[in-house]
Amino acid sequence: MSNFTKLLHKTFHVFNRTLIHPYFVASTSGSHHRSIRTNTMSGNSCRVGDGFQDIDTPALLVDIVGMKANMEKMRAQLKQYNKVACRPHAKAHKCPPIARMQMELGASGACCQTLVEAEAMAAGGIKNILISNEVVGKGKLRRLASLAREAGVVLSVCVDSEGNLHDISRVMQEFRATVGILIDVNVGGSRCGVAPGGAVLDLAKLAIELPGVTFGGIHCYNGINQHIRKAVDRGAATAAVVEMTKQALEVVIYR
């Protein structure tokens, strides 16, 4: 056994409180043990306590105690902001059981970046979903409407064009479904979204008027800021995002 293999073997046994596998989820915490098994293509599965050399790859090891501590810390930090809800992004883990744990510890729902992620979350029992991106094309919009029509699902999606908003409204009417609409605002990422100002207001008014959709607010996100290494630079970049967000809010609220 190589030194590298020995290290991984030791690491697994240190952090074997949770094992998450593409076809298997198991967890233990103290005396508590819970496992969920599903069929694998080969018929094999992993078990908590298996040696490193016995684990079929790919496999992801998670320290469930540490993960729950992080979730608890987030909930504690947000208590001082009584009007702020926490909706973690599921693309970080792509695992409905983890999303469910987050909701059990205070999260209002899950964010998804793609339609297929949202479909997978809903299939896994996560019913409050925001697709923090635009969904275009007739085929995808029909899938969006089908998902919105599922019992218990509360679904929202971002838009940044009148044409897309009209398309969503038409398909929702066809499926007799309703979806929430967030106006995507470009706050520095320049990948999508409209500039803070009149375009935000125009889309908000249209979302209020059209059938099959409900206006749910605005969406402001510039993920590149989290990769800025120096705190002072990251703070300045975040302040710029906050300022543009305020501009967008003022347009919607006061006009």
Side-chain angles (χ1 to χ4, degrees), residues 25-37:
V25 177
S27 65
T28 60
S29 180
S31 60
H32 175 66
H33 177 78
R34 178 178 72 254
S35 65
I36 303 170
R37 289 179 181 268

Side-chain angles (χ1 to χ4, degrees), residues 146-214:
S146 179
L147 182 59
R149 193 174 59 179
E150 286 188 17
V153 170
V154 179
L155 182 66
S156 300
V157 66
C158 292
V159 301
D160 63 0
S161 75
E162 291 187 2
N164 184 220
L165 188 47
H166 278 290
D167 289 343
I168 292 173
S169 174
R170 280 193 291 269
V171 175
M172 290 297 156
Q173 292 178 78
E174 176 187 344
F175 277 72
R176 297 183 180 179
T178 301
V179 68
I181 296 295
L182 272 67
I183 311 305
D184 200 359
V185 183
N186 181 4
V187 290
S190 298
R191 295 187 299 180
C192 51
V194 297
V200 178
L201 181 61
D202 291 342
L203 284 173
K205 287 181 176 179
L206 186 60
I208 293 171
E209 296 169 359
L210 289 176
V213 299
T214 57

Side-chain angles (χ1 to χ4, degrees), residues 4 6 23-24 28 36 43 67 74 84 97 141 154 156-158 161 189 198 202 211 226-227 245 253:
F4 178 68
K6 289 179 180 177
Y23 305 103
F24 175 85
T28 60
I36 303 170
M67 183 170 65
M74 175 63 75
V84 175
L141 291 182
V154 179
S156 300
V157 66
C158 292
S161 75
D202 291 342
Q226 62 188 304
H227 301 293
T245 301
I253 294 174

Side-chain angles (χ1 to χ4, degrees), residues 80-123:
Q80 59 184 309
Y81 308 105
N82 58 10
K83 294 184 179 180
V84 175
C86 178
R87 184 188 290 270
H89 212 304
K91 71 178 181 181
H93 50 74
K94 301 195 179 190
C95 182
I98 292 180
R100 193 175 303 113
M101 287 173 58
Q102 290 173 318
M103 294 183 70
E104 289 171 355
L105 291 173
S108 62
C111 284
C112 294
Q113 193 65 8
T114 66
L115 177 58
V116 70
E117 285 181 4
E119 290 169 332
M121 284 292 136

